[in-house]
Amino acid sequence: MIIHEQEITWAAHKLTLTNQKAIYWEKQKTLILSDLHLGKAAHFRRHGIPIPSQIHHKDLGILEKLILHYQVDKVIIVGDLIHANQNGEVLDFKNFLQHFKEVQFLLIKGNHDRIAERKILDLGIAGIYDSYELDGLCFVHEPQPCEGKLISGHIHPGVTVRLPTNKHFRLPSFVVSEDMIILPAFSRFTGLDTKKVVQKAVNYAVLDTGIMVIK
């Protein structure tokens, strides 16, 4: 895995967008991501849909490499950590957190995070919030009015890129406007919403080889 970066200055903060669908906030030594949807593949398999079991292992492997690469003190998950009920994939995350006891994991509660908060805390999450504010930035799962500049998830934003051959493909994207950042879904097992959801926003599309700026 190669980490490609795009530095931006937003709300007077230097943020590093990565092609691994997470933001590194150097000033706070914090990694920011959204929509892990742990347990989603297992949930589908339980309902007879054949989904590979390796998906969440790859997601957690990427998260591990990001934490080690940036040597973070904190990870803010902006909602939808757990897709449905607790299952084996969620317990794998509990084991994952045992390797990072020195890192504080915070969850901004998302619409899929429906299991009891005590069970989420038992995984090793340090705090659960409906919204969370840090140094003038406000973290909520679903985009909504908020005091300060807003960082959210939920939408799984993406962009459609058309080639000169008229072929096109879709890419996950960070959506960045003056007052809001919408994070791409960290999980590989999610759809993409390619509708323009924010006016006067810049899309930072994620590729294996880098980040493409689309205005």
Side-chain angles (χ1 to χ4, degrees), residues 169-185:
F169 54 96
R170 302 193 306 162
L171 298 169
S173 175
F174 297 90
V175 178
V176 181
S177 70
E178 182 179 353
D179 298 315
M180 179 187 302
I181 293 177
I182 304 177
L183 298 163

Side-chain angles (χ1 to χ4, degrees), residues 63-134:
L63 179 55
E64 178 181 13
K65 290 174 182 177
L66 287 167
I67 291 170
L68 294 175
H69 178 77
Y70 290 111
Q71 293 292 296
V72 301
D73 293 334
K74 182 183 297 180
V75 176
I76 299 175
I77 302 169
V78 192
D80 284 357
L81 168 65
I82 299 170
H83 181 77
N85 294 325
Q86 187 164 297
N87 55 35
E89 294 182 10
V90 177
L91 294 178
D92 284 344
F93 182 66
K94 181 176 182 177
N95 294 330
F96 172 88
L97 293 184
Q98 294 300 307
H99 298 288
F100 296 104
K101 291 183 178 180
E102 72 286 0
V103 179
Q104 184 183 45
F105 285 78
L106 304 180
L107 173 63
I108 316 307
K109 200 167 184 180
N111 56 297
H112 278 282
D113 296 311
R114 300 190 191 105
I115 71 171
E117 290 192 4
R118 60 178 175 77
K119 291 185 177 181
I120 297 175
L121 293 172
D122 183 59
L123 297 175
I125 297 293
I128 304 171
Y129 306 87
D130 291 324
S131 65
Y132 179 77
E133 294 189 18
L134 180 63

